[in-house]
Amino acid sequence: MTITDDQQDRLRELQKVFLEENSKLNLSAIRDPDAVWIGNISDSLVALDLEIFQEDGLKILDIGTGGGFPLLPLAICKPHCKFIGMDSTQKKLDAIGRMTIPLHLNNVRLVTGRFEEKGQDQQHRDMYDIVTARAVAPLNVLLEYGAPFVKPGGHLIAWKSMKVDTELEESLLARANLSCHLTQQYAYELPGDWGKRQLLIFEKLANTNAKYPREIGIPKKNPLI
Ligand code: SAM
């Protein structure tokens, strides 16, 4: 996928405004400009390589968006898709809201709340073509958080390190109960010490059983295993 000069300029602006916000609030441990560029911005944009990201008009939910990754870089580069960033921490979403102004982003909406509640809300349940999640939870917990939002036939993308064998093994029950099928492991390499990472892509094959997600705190405290 080609990134236009205007998008490149706006990604640089994102690097700047993120660093400004991060110096006021503790959005992320990444504080060095190069590290923000590689570890946050480039890492987010890897999803653009995926077949499922090629269409326009997609409705995409980023769960646990925190300081806005992968939400903001993807929203800059996919202007014809609608993005929603969800997180339980209002001050982080407020910071993202401020960042969207100089970035001229009008395809981003922010929703405050817990996944366990929003996943049972008909406004969000089964609504999204793609759900993205980076650094949110182990796979078995993440699937319970994220799968309820995905349309049947849609996808969930998890940003992970290369060491996922145990997480994958421990997600077998979650994958079965939440009708999620692992369709692809997309490995990539970032420059310098960032090294090899991967995206795990799951397809949701059927509607989510009404009992998921369970009550607030239960998916994490008592993961499907
Ligand atoms: N995705 C961002 C990134 O990669 O930089 C931020 C990741 S941060 C480590 C995880 C975020 O998930 C936090 O901002 C936290 O508030 C949010 N989160 C964790 N569990 C949640 C839940 N059950 N409901 C809503 N938000 C949650």
Side-chain angles (χ1 to χ4, degrees):
M1 141 129 209
T2 334
I3 294 178
T4 65
D5 288 347
D6 172 64
Q7 288 165 352
Q8 186 76 14
D9 290 346
R10 288 199 291 150
L11 291 169
R12 284 291 172 197
E13 180 70 15
L14 167 61
Q15 179 189 27
K16 183 175 144 243
V17 292
F18 175 77
L19 284 163
E20 284 165 9
E21 287 293 340
N22 204 26
S23 66
K24 293 181 250 161
L25 293 163
N26 193 19
L27 294 174
S28 155
I30 302 184
R31 293 175 183 281
D32 168 74
D34 288 343
V36 170
W37 187 256
I38 299 169
N40 280 341
I41 297 177
S42 305
D43 191 44
S44 299
L45 293 177
V46 170
L48 297 177
D49 293 345
L50 301 175
E51 186 70 37
I52 55 168
F53 245 96
Q54 301 314 307
E55 281 173 46
D56 279 335
L58 297 168
K59 210 169 162 194
I60 299 163
L61 173 71
D62 185 34
I63 58 167
T65 193
F69 299 101
L71 174 76
L72 295 173
L74 291 175
I76 289 171
C77 295
K78 293 289 291 179
H80 302 298
C81 293
K82 280 189 187 158
F83 286 83
I84 286 91
M86 185 181 285
D87 205 286
S88 55
T89 309
Q90 185 67 51
K91 70 167 191 175
K92 293 186 180 179
L93 296 186
D94 290 344
I96 297 178
R98 289 192 293 275
M99 289 189 253
T100 60
I101 299 166
L103 297 173
H104 309 293
L105 279 176
N106 53 17
N107 57 341
V108 172
R109 204 161 66 79
L110 301 168
V111 173
T112 312
R114 293 286 301 230
F115 314 135
E116 299 94 319
E117 278 183 343
K118 297 292 176 191
Q120 292 289 358
D121 177 344
Q122 295 314 313
Q123 250 192 299
H124 296 286
R125 193 173 171 90
D126 294 323
M127 287 299 285
Y128 298 92
D129 298 296
I130 297 176
V131 170
T132 56
R134 196 183 77 147
V136 176
L139 269 181
N140 46 17
V141 179
L142 185 64
L143 289 172
E144 184 167 356
Y145 283 161
F149 297 113
V150 181
K151 277 182 189 169
H155 296 85
L156 182 144
I157 307 174
W159 272 246
K160 290 284 173 185
S161 75
M162 294 307 283
K163 292 184 191 151
V164 282
D165 289 355
T166 309
E167 270 189 65
L168 277 173
E169 241 170 69
E170 293 180 350
S171 71
L172 285 170
L173 183 66
R175 284 190 254 167
N177 287 9
L178 294 153
S179 308
C180 286
H181 173 63
L182 178 66
T183 57
Q184 194 184 354
Q185 289 184 243
Y186 182 78
Y188 61 98
E189 190 162 3
L190 293 177
D193 293 341
W194 293 93
K196 283 195 177 153
R197 285 143 190 265
Q198 63 182 319
L199 301 179
L200 301 183
I201 297 102
F202 296 88
E203 182 179 357
K204 176 163 143 181
L205 302 173
N207 283 321
T208 303
N209 186 311
K211 69 180 175 198
Y212 300 118
R214 291 168 291 164
E215 301 276 295
I216 286 183
I218 303 297
K220 189 172 170 187
K221 194 173 150 211
N222 187 13
L224 295 169
I225 193 163

